[in-house]
Amino acid sequence: MLKYIGSDLPSLSIKEKKIVKNSLDFIERDGVLIGEPTGMEDTYVVPNGMEKIVNQIKFRYKNKPMFITENGYSSPDLQEKRVNVILNDVKRVKFHLEYLDFLAKSIRKGADVRRYFIWSLMDSYEWLTGYNLKFGLYYVDRQTLTRIPKLSARWYKSFLTENTTDLVNIKAYA
């Protein structure tokens, strides 16, 4: 990053680092959580944050090209193991649709965003939680290793090929 951004790369004091760390521990305003919790501890759904952070990076780093990587959603119900519920991941579709909507607003305002990557293609082993978190667009049966597309996989394919953004008719992809 130092080679790419050079002197624009910020350096933080110990006090600033503590402020950043504390702000990442929870997302709240006036003592009230501002987003729906996800399956990952201390992580919340705040779609308008996408527009805010992209605009901030655009301004701070003179609109250098950006790549949005590993943006994903895992249900907060980690105990839910029924495959039919896992495959009908409407909240994941809603998550990506809303985040992409706010990203599009930044792009329309001139942000140089080159790529957006969903985390992840399939449910995989997450370093801190094993197989409990399910970020994937495809469910993986751990017994047979069969990969089954979730509702989100069918929606995302349609979004990419047909520019489908209709959340109301999301069941059409089931």
Side-chain angles (χ1 to χ4, degrees):
M1 288 196 48
L2 186 58
K3 180 181 174 183
Y4 184 67
I5 297 176
S7 63
D8 288 333
L9 187 65
S11 60
L12 301 175
S13 68
I14 292 172
K15 182 179 178 182
E16 290 170 321
K17 288 178 184 178
K18 286 181 182 178
I19 291 169
V20 170
K21 183 194 178 306
N22 291 339
S23 71
L24 295 176
D25 286 341
F26 52 87
I27 300 175
E28 65 178 50
R29 183 173 292 130
D30 299 325
V32 178
L33 293 177
I34 62 169
E36 177 184 333
T38 68
M40 194 169 199
E41 187 176 348
D42 297 328
T43 305
Y44 302 89
V45 178
V46 186
N48 68 337
M50 176 66 82
E51 180 182 18
K52 289 178 181 180
I53 193 70
V54 168
N55 289 342
Q56 182 179 1
I57 292 169
K58 172 188 154 189
F59 175 75
R60 183 171 190 145
Y61 299 106
K62 302 175 182 105
N63 206 18
K64 297 267 188 191
M66 290 178 251
F67 296 79
I68 310 297
T69 62
E70 297 188 13
N71 190 34
Y73 176 83
S74 182
S75 172
D77 188 2
L78 299 179
Q79 303 306 315
E80 184 55 68
K81 302 294 184 193
R82 292 179 295 155
V83 174
N84 63 330
V85 174
I86 293 170
L87 294 177
N88 190 29
D89 60 344
V90 173
K91 284 188 176 186
R92 180 173 291 103
V93 174
K94 186 174 185 286
F95 173 94
H96 285 293
L97 183 57
E98 291 176 350
Y99 273 78
L100 286 165
D101 184 45
F102 280 101
L103 178 59
K105 289 178 183 180
S106 291
I107 292 169
R108 283 192 292 271
K109 292 177 185 173
D112 188 3
V113 178
R114 304 280 176 98
R115 302 287 187 271
Y116 174 89
F117 297 93
I118 284 183
W119 184 256
S120 97
L121 173 63
M122 65 186 81
D123 291 337
S124 60
Y125 185 83
E126 299 292 332
W127 286 106
L128 297 176
T129 59
Y131 293 112
N132 287 330
L133 291 179
K134 298 191 180 335
F135 284 97
L137 301 180
Y138 285 77
Y139 168 76
V140 178
D141 182 322
R142 297 285 162 220
Q143 302 299 317
T144 66
L145 298 181
T146 302
R147 297 176 187 127
I148 304 168
K150 296 178 185 176
L151 175 66
S152 56
R154 293 186 296 278
W155 172 81
Y156 196 55
K157 178 182 178 184
S158 181
F159 172 80
L160 293 174
T161 60
E162 301 169 23
N163 197 27
T164 302
T165 59
D166 189 3
L167 188 59
V168 175
N169 292 322
I170 197 67
K171 297 290 185 184
Y173 307 102

